[in-house]
Amino acid sequence: RRSPPFPAGSWSEWPVDHFLRTGSIGARDGAAVRWFHAANSRARAAEAARSDVHMVEVDVQLRGGHEEPVLAHPPDTDSDITLQEWLAQVASTAKGIKLDFKSLAAVGPSLELLGRVGPALASPVWLNGDVLPGPCGSCAPLDARAFLRAVTASCPEATLSLGWTTAWQPVPCVSPGYRWPMVQEMSQLCQPLSQPVTFAVRAALLPSSIPQLQWLLQQSHRYTLTVWAGKEDVYSVEDLLLIRENFDKSRVYYDIFEPQNSEFKKAIGIQC
């Protein structure tokens, strides 16, 4: 299947296309794209910058809930590195970035900072928010329409990464996967958009949701999946292989922890 016509070097370019074009990966395969998760401190950001990863993810919220954007994952509300400092650092690398917004209030100030750095970033830029309630989710999602209004107005060239609020539980909850109403609501939300969209889906919940997510990807050539996991989640390499067997490999990315990451890459013949 041909790639969507997102311009080379633009923030909208699919990572598989961008990093294949630049020679950083050897196949048009989302599993070949390497991720660095939660670079939310000076030390982690420096480690990410030195590493051979392709995409770096950070969590963004306002310091103390009402000041400048910093890199911190709840329950933390402060950090030793601001978003402005990190953007200046990552702009000197060839890495793509993913900003995971933990509050709606952080979106506007963060996009203003991103706009200032803009010309120096020639790799994919993803803007993430959990905008709908999902399986077992207890946290309130970001206001979907407010989030989309802000990011499409300020960064129409960026890739949108949209997810559901979820939780993983050893004993399955009433809705153990992404149900039809959840994916149908997401489809309706994304239908008016023109930007590429990747759906952030939890690895432990995906095997029971394959028909629903296959249908969702069929709604537009602009859509991909990004498989992620919590540190305490229980899922197997077989679960990841099941995902790979049921989706176009160029349309699924894997941002997961060790040891599953290395075991999965070994099973499919990709070097970490």
Side-chain angles (χ1 to χ4, degrees):
R1 182 176 298 180
R2 295 188 61 186
S3 166
F6 302 125
S10 74
W11 292 1
S12 297
E13 189 178 17
W14 280 13
V16 286
D17 296 318
H18 176 83
F19 295 111
L20 182 63
R21 180 174 55 80
T22 59
S24 299
I25 60 176
R28 195 165 182 267
D29 186 341
V33 177
R34 295 186 294 274
W35 288 79
F36 193 101
H37 193 78
N40 293 336
S41 66
R42 288 187 186 278
R44 292 275 295 169
E47 182 184 350
R50 291 191 305 266
S51 73
D52 63 355
V53 301
H54 303 107
M55 297 287 294
V56 181
E57 185 260 6
V58 294
D59 300 296
V60 185
Q61 56 182 321
L62 295 183
R63 171 173 280 149
H66 55 81
E67 297 180 13
E68 63 182 332
V70 296
L71 308 185
H73 191 286
D76 295 334
T77 59
D78 204 352
S79 173
D80 64 356
I81 185 168
T82 66
L83 176 62
Q84 184 173 10
E85 291 168 334
W86 180 73
L87 286 172
Q89 179 186 69
V90 80
S92 64
T93 74
K95 302 183 189 308
I97 65 171
K98 176 180 176 179
L99 306 184
D100 186 356
F101 292 105
K102 298 304 183 184
S103 74
L104 194 60
V107 175
S110 300
L111 297 185
E112 184 178 338
L113 293 173
L114 184 60
R116 294 180 200 167
V117 180
L121 292 172
S123 297
V125 172
W126 288 15
L127 305 175
N128 183 82
D130 290 339
V131 295
L132 292 177
C136 310
S138 56
C139 297
L142 301 184
D143 183 298
R145 284 172 175 76
F147 179 76
L148 291 176
R149 275 198 305 270
V151 297
T152 55
S154 296
C155 293
E157 67 278 28
T159 294
L160 300 175
S161 173
L162 303 179
W164 297 258
T165 58
T166 63
W168 182 86
Q169 299 174 356
V171 178
C173 60
V174 175
S175 177
Y178 297 92
R179 303 294 88 188
W180 284 109
M182 296 174 187
V183 298
Q184 288 164 348
E185 186 177 8
M186 185 67 84
S187 176
Q188 292 170 0
L189 192 66
C190 296
Q191 193 171 9
L193 303 174
S194 58
Q195 295 164 256
V197 179
T198 190
F199 300 110
V201 290
R202 199 165 189 147
L205 300 172
L206 209 158
S208 60
S209 316
I210 286 175
Q212 291 87 347
L213 293 170
Q214 286 176 327
W215 175 86
L216 185 58
L217 288 196
Q218 289 166 3
Q219 303 312 301
S220 176
H221 69 282
R222 297 178 291 110
Y223 297 166
T224 59
L225 297 180
T226 300
V227 180
W228 65 275
K231 284 187 176 180
E232 307 303 321
D233 290 10
V234 176
Y235 62 98
S236 67
V237 173
E238 287 71 25
D239 291 335
L240 300 175
L241 294 175
L242 182 66
I243 296 167
R244 189 168 174 84
E245 290 166 7
N246 282 280
F247 294 92
D248 178 345
K249 66 182 181 180
S250 72
R251 298 179 71 181
V252 184
Y253 301 94
Y254 299 85
D255 179 11
I256 54 179
F257 290 103
E258 299 296 348
Q260 289 95 336
N261 181 56
S262 294
E263 293 171 354
F264 172 58
K265 299 290 179 68
K266 182 178 179 180
I268 62 175
I270 290 180
Q271 290 186 334
C272 293

